[in-house]
Amino acid sequence: MKQYQCIVCGFVYDEEKGLPEEGIAPGTRWEDIPEDWECPDCGVSKADFEMIEIAATN
Amino acid sequence: MKPITLIGTGLAGYTLAREFRKLDAERPLVLITADDGAFYSKPMLSNALAQGRDPDTLVSADAEKMAADLNATVLTHARVERIDRARRVVVHARGEQAYGTLVLATGARPIRPPLQGDAADEALTVNNLDDYRRFRRRLDDKRKIAIIGPGLIGCEFANDLLETGHACDLIGPDAWPVSTLLPQPLGERLQAALAERGARWHLQDSVIAIDHADPGYRLRLQQGAPIEAELVLSAIGLRPDTRLAEAAGLSVRRGIVTDRLLRTSDPDIHALGDCAEAAGLVLPFVMPIMHAARALAKTLAGEPTEVHYPAMPVVIKTPACPLAVAPPPRDAGGEWRYESDDQGIAARHVGKDGKLLGFALCGDRVKQRMALTRELPPLL
């Protein structure tokens, strides 16, 4: 699973953990998150996130 | 067509340019900046040490790449000297730039306390990447740091410094840390968490002078004993940078006054970000910039759009005691109600009618942020 980092505030979206408090289940792939989703910390749009790390997946 | 000209390439300027380009690929766009125009993550300035990041790694694109991505002209090292509204021209260090519409995104300036002493000028302030580079160069192998101002930025920097083996003294007149945003019990929890990591607090006290000492500095306080430090960081607050607007005769109160279309008292000049006071609100945080930039981009693309602010909690990056706070409106009435245990505190500000008007969360309770945000009324 991968992690993505917000280029503005540094918030990291971790696919493995998801964001249950926002209704995004653990294991939700980045590409399955709606395009109008915004960074919960700073409001940057999904298009402005960057991938920072690729970990091995099973 | 005369260009849309932006003064400032911080988060407000570049975000507006990016949002505008999503709507209009053609209209000429010119951005003018006093610095090198690099796009960087400003919030990460206060936690880069613990993450082992050098200042340059916070840059995601230089001015050349930004100009190419935005199909814009970026004039770097071109500090603006004045705005000539009669001629619709901006006069800067490298020449003149015409505008059809002008946007001020000049940001804020650190407030500098009036200090005595032969080293009063040597307290560093950090409000942009250049400042931060200077801070890191001066920090080098120094260990003892004094921070004037126990607010949000002061505490974030303290946490980052403590995490990386530095000693920190924090000084300020406040009764508890981050007192402008946090209710007392959460401020005290943060105070204890940083104290546990070695922070020494000098609250309800003020620095009156900084003198050279060997090595470093000696800070004289109003009440307490003098403090020795190798480096002094001043973080007592920010003030909107309204200098150009004022000199151009625009309406200015705390910030550059705008309506909800982010229009100043001159309809051809807009303002957003830390320099602006939109509909009476000065909000020097990232999330309001995102909302303002999206609304203004639409307005500039021909569809007048008022800015709307949802409830926007502020996340305080102090890993020793994670915090999220949505302060209630001024004079909201009502009261704070607390639930607390060893793991954290959830504070809800409840109005007379029982409705939630604000909250402050620390420790484990920050998990409730999204749910509580949904209960809050919009800010504007």
Side-chain angles (χ1 to χ4, degrees), chain A:
Chain A
M1 301 223 114
K2 296 177 191 169
Q3 292 186 336
Y4 294 81
Q5 183 168 35
C6 173
I7 62 163
V8 168
C9 74
F11 173 85
V12 173
Y13 175 72
D14 184 337
E15 290 183 331
E16 201 170 318
K17 291 181 187 153
L19 272 174
E21 58 275 39
E22 261 199 88
I24 297 172
T28 302
R29 300 272 175 187
W30 181 246
E31 52 268 32
D32 295 330
I33 290 178
E35 288 306 311
D36 62 0
W37 181 84
E38 291 169 0
C39 172
D41 280 8
C42 77
V44 127
S45 61
K46 185 182 171 189
D48 298 320
F49 266 59
E50 273 182 6
M51 186 173 68
I52 52 160
E53 192 184 317
I54 304 169
T57 178
N58 51 11

Side-chain angles (χ1 to χ4, degrees), chain A residues 5-11 19-23 38-48 50 52, chain B residues 11 18-19 22 39-44 51 53 60 286-287 290-291 294 313 315 317 367 369-370 374:
Chain A
Q5 183 168 35
C6 173
I7 62 163
V8 168
C9 74
F11 173 85
L19 272 174
E21 58 275 39
E22 261 199 88
E38 291 169 0
C39 172
D41 280 8
C42 77
V44 127
S45 61
K46 185 182 171 189
D48 298 320
E50 273 182 6
I52 52 160
Chain B
L11 192 59
R18 190 189 278 135
E19 294 295 324
K22 291 177 185 170
F39 182 72
Y40 66 99
S41 169
K42 185 170 176 186
M44 287 167 77
Q51 297 196 353
R53 296 182 71 152
S60 50
V286 174
M287 206 179 274
M290 296 294 152
H291 289 278
R294 286 181 192 129
V315 174
K317 294 192 303 301
K367 286 180 192 150
R369 172 171 58 126
M370 312 277 181
R374 281 191 286 270

Side-chain angles (χ1 to χ4, degrees), chain A residues 7 50, chain B residues 14 18 36-39 59-72 74 76:
Chain A
I7 62 163
E50 273 182 6
Chain B
Y14 272 141
R18 190 189 278 135
D36 65 5
F39 182 72
V59 171
S60 50
D62 63 15
E64 210 175 325
K65 179 166 190 322
M66 290 306 289
D69 289 354
L70 293 167
N71 180 28
V74 180
T76 58

Side-chain angles (χ1 to χ4, degrees), chain B residues 9-32:
Chain B
T9 57
L11 192 59
Y14 272 141
T15 302
L16 174 63
R18 190 189 278 135
E19 294 295 324
F20 179 75
R21 272 291 174 254
K22 291 177 185 170
L23 306 171
D24 182 331
E26 298 303 326
R27 182 157 179 199
L29 207 51
V30 178
L31 293 93
I32 309 175

